Amino acid sequence: MTVRSQFISRFFFITVLSAFAFQCKMADLNNPGDPLSEEFAKRSVFAEFVRYFLLEKALPDGLVLLLTKNVVPYEAGFRIYRVDPELGLTNEYDSDIRAANTAAFPGCDPVRIAVPPSSRDIVTFTGTSSNHLVVHRYGTDRSLSLLQDQTGLGSPNMITFDSTGTTMYHINAGVDPNTVNRSYRDNITGSISMNNAGSYPFGVGCSPVSIRTSDTDGIIFIATTVGAQLGINVHKKTGTDTTFHVGGAPFDPADNPTQNNNICLVEPSRFLYMTSVNPTFPIYGFRYDSGGNMQVLPSSPFSPDSSYSAAASVDNFSTSLTLDPNGKFAAVLYGAGGTNYLRILAVDGYTGNLTPTEQKLSVGNAPKHIVWDKSGKFIYLVSDTGGTTNKFQLEYFKFSQDGTLTKGVNSPITFSNMSGDFTPRDLKSIQRYYH
């Protein structure tokens, strides 16, 4: 919907409401404090108009694909595929692919990338052989600048940011048990520096696979795997530098599911979803309170399909579930009857229930790294063609706010051979922000 149409619809609503109320009471037409007055209506419409333009908006602009090549010549780095705001992904890309180097970017086997909120910075973790944290900035003119390349943050492999983009939480896999470190990020320069104090770093057990934070309630969630159990560590912030481990142990949904990966949050409703590789109901849903106390949703776990038969690929802790920016829909990857699918689930804002919609499209082999861009317009994923072609490919889908899912006009886009070429490691969208 255009800005103009939104403005007109709101103006029409306020006008009709005022006219109806006028039948009951004569308004003081020039009194802005009288809800029935003409002046009040004018100011209300203007306030809505101003509020809309002050909101930060995201326009699809790029898709960052982290790559490694484990054959001669050894190379690694990323490509940024350009995204048309209307048509979606294109074949054009900018890149920083270099020879493998343990002393600097890109390392030998980079494991993760992240894009801080409201920014065009790309943060790369280069992996255990080098343990570098590297920051690039992707300009609106599509220039690419290297801002920082440093060590000293342990062996980072998981990452999340607060909503301001100034606080970064990251897993240090180089100690046992693994810990959560805290770092400070300068929004202007993009530089990142360790900022541990008080409770930081704190231990989170073995093999963390996902980390998320709720700014609204000051909670850090970390999913870990201990044996066959899926556990979620919940740490409540109690001060600037202090946290409290809620319950003193990972929260376990009690039916002993096996782990897949990712945590997704709907902060306004305090819902948390976690994927597993259960044979029939792979998505667990939870409700948490402001103190971080967790409970399983009454209808959890959920299944995306009555024919569900297999989880999506889980290599490198790849994601199989993502939420739209408004928290009204979820997109999930799964297998059924030998075919892989992407399906949209509706999120009930009151109960938290996930209900499969009719929006279900087939995707390639071993789908993974699903991403819903911040504009809510496109869903991206990595898959492969298998068979005789054996190519890795990017697939993307266009999502309308009425809940309709359609395949992108340029989808799929192949980017490498499955052997003797680049292997995908992670995928993140990047936006152009405006007011």
Side-chain angles (χ1 to χ4, degrees):
M1 183 179 286
T2 64
V3 173
R4 181 180 179 186
S5 61
Q6 289 188 47
F7 177 76
I8 290 172
S9 63
R10 288 173 177 166
F11 178 80
F12 179 74
F13 172 76
I14 292 171
T15 302
V16 171
L17 183 63
S18 299
F20 177 79
F22 183 78
Q23 303 299 319
C24 303
K25 174 187 174 185
M26 180 64 71
D28 183 357
L29 295 181
N30 294 315
N31 179 10
D34 186 344
L36 302 180
S37 72
E38 181 181 346
E39 188 63 27
F40 180 88
K42 288 178 180 178
R43 295 194 180 191
S44 296
V45 172
F46 181 72
E48 282 288 299
F49 192 73
V50 170
R51 186 185 68 83
Y52 176 82
F53 277 102
L54 288 178
L55 287 173
E56 184 180 66
K57 303 165 193 68
L59 192 69
D61 193 56
L63 185 67
V64 190
L65 175 63
L66 185 65
L67 298 164
T68 62
K69 184 190 288 185
N70 295 319
V71 296
V72 178
Y74 300 107
E75 295 177 300
F78 56 77
R79 295 174 182 171
I80 308 172
Y81 283 83
R82 299 182 181 187
V83 175
D84 182 281
E86 295 302 323
L87 299 178
L89 201 61
T90 72
N91 281 293
E92 295 182 87
Y93 61 82
D94 307 287
S95 73
D96 192 347
I97 301 286
R98 307 185 186 189
N101 182 358
T102 59
F105 178 82
C108 292
D109 196 19
V111 293
R112 197 81 56 216
I113 49 176
V115 177
S118 303
S119 86
R120 294 173 64 84
D121 290 357
I122 302 165
V123 181
T124 306
F125 289 160
T126 63
T128 54
S129 60
S130 56
N131 290 326
H132 280 238
L133 177 145
V134 184
V135 182
H136 288 76
R137 179 162 292 174
Y138 189 49
T140 54
D141 61 352
R142 304 202 179 277
S143 60
L144 190 59
S145 306
L146 179 61
L147 304 181
Q148 183 179 13
D149 188 344
Q150 71 166 58
T151 57
L153 279 78
S155 181
N157 68 349
M158 294 282 166
I159 181 173
T160 192
F161 288 89
D162 71 353
S163 60
T164 69
T166 58
T167 302
M168 183 180 84
Y169 302 96
H170 44 104
I171 302 294
N172 179 11
V175 294
D176 187 13
N178 295 171
T179 59
V180 172
N181 285 322
R182 183 185 65 179
S183 291
Y184 169 75
R185 174 179 170 272
D186 189 301
N187 273 333
I188 304 300
T189 66
S191 64
I192 295 172
S193 56
M194 193 78 88
N195 188 31
N196 283 335
S199 299
Y200 300 93
F202 55 81
V204 289
C206 302
S207 303
V209 293
S210 187
I211 179 169
R212 296 290 183 271
T213 180
S214 167
D215 284 357
T216 304
D217 296 307
I219 303 172
I220 304 168
F221 300 95
I222 307 100
T224 60
T225 299
V226 180
Q229 292 181 338
L230 176 155
I232 299 175
N233 282 278
V234 183
H235 288 258
K236 169 71 176 178
K237 300 176 190 176
T238 55
T240 303
D241 298 318
T242 56
T243 68
F244 170 71
H245 191 185
V246 179
F251 181 84
D252 184 357
D255 66 347
N256 203 29
T258 49
Q259 162 268 327
N260 178 359
N261 181 29
N262 51 309
I263 293 174
C264 294
L265 297 180
V266 182
E267 285 195 64
S269 304
R270 295 191 174 120
F271 296 141
L272 181 150
Y273 300 98
M274 173 73 192
T275 53
S276 74
V277 292
N278 278 18
T280 53
F281 297 93
I283 306 170
Y284 282 78
F286 309 87
R287 188 190 297 272
Y288 61 92
D289 63 21
S290 60
N293 300 291
M294 302 267 288
Q295 59 180 334
V296 179
L297 294 175
S299 299
S300 175
F302 305 99
S303 178
D305 197 315
S306 59
S307 301
Y308 173 87
S309 59
S313 178
V314 298
D315 62 301
N316 195 36
F317 308 127
S318 51
T319 52
S320 59
L321 180 73
T322 186
L323 295 174
D324 85 290
N326 297 316
K328 295 181 179 180
F329 296 95
V332 61
L333 298 171
Y334 65 96
T339 301
N340 294 298
Y341 292 100
L342 166 66
R343 189 165 203 165
I344 300 298
L345 311 177
V347 179
D348 188 303
Y350 179 71
T351 65
N353 288 347
L354 299 179
T355 304
T357 71
E358 296 301 315
Q359 306 305 306
K360 169 186 170 182
L361 296 173
S362 62
V363 297
N365 296 326
K368 54 192 170 186
H369 300 309
I370 188 171
V371 175
W372 206 320
D373 85 345
K374 299 300 182 184
S375 74
K377 199 167 188 176
F378 296 112
I379 300 170
Y380 310 98
L381 60 98
V382 173
S383 66
D384 67 69
T385 61
T388 59
T389 54
N390 287 316
K391 301 279 188 180
F392 284 118
Q393 60 186 7
L394 293 169
E395 297 187 67
Y396 78 99
F397 302 82
K398 190 171 184 178
F399 183 78
S400 301
Q401 287 307 306
D402 64 359
T404 304
L405 184 71
T406 55
K407 189 173 183 177
V409 295
N410 296 323
S411 184
I413 294 175
T414 58
F415 61 84
S416 69
N417 297 311
M418 291 180 64
S419 61
D421 205 343
F422 287 107
T423 299
R425 299 289 286 167
D426 202 3
L427 190 70
K428 293 291 184 294
S429 65
I430 196 164
Q431 281 67 232
R432 190 181 295 261
Y433 292 95
Y434 67 100
H435 288 281

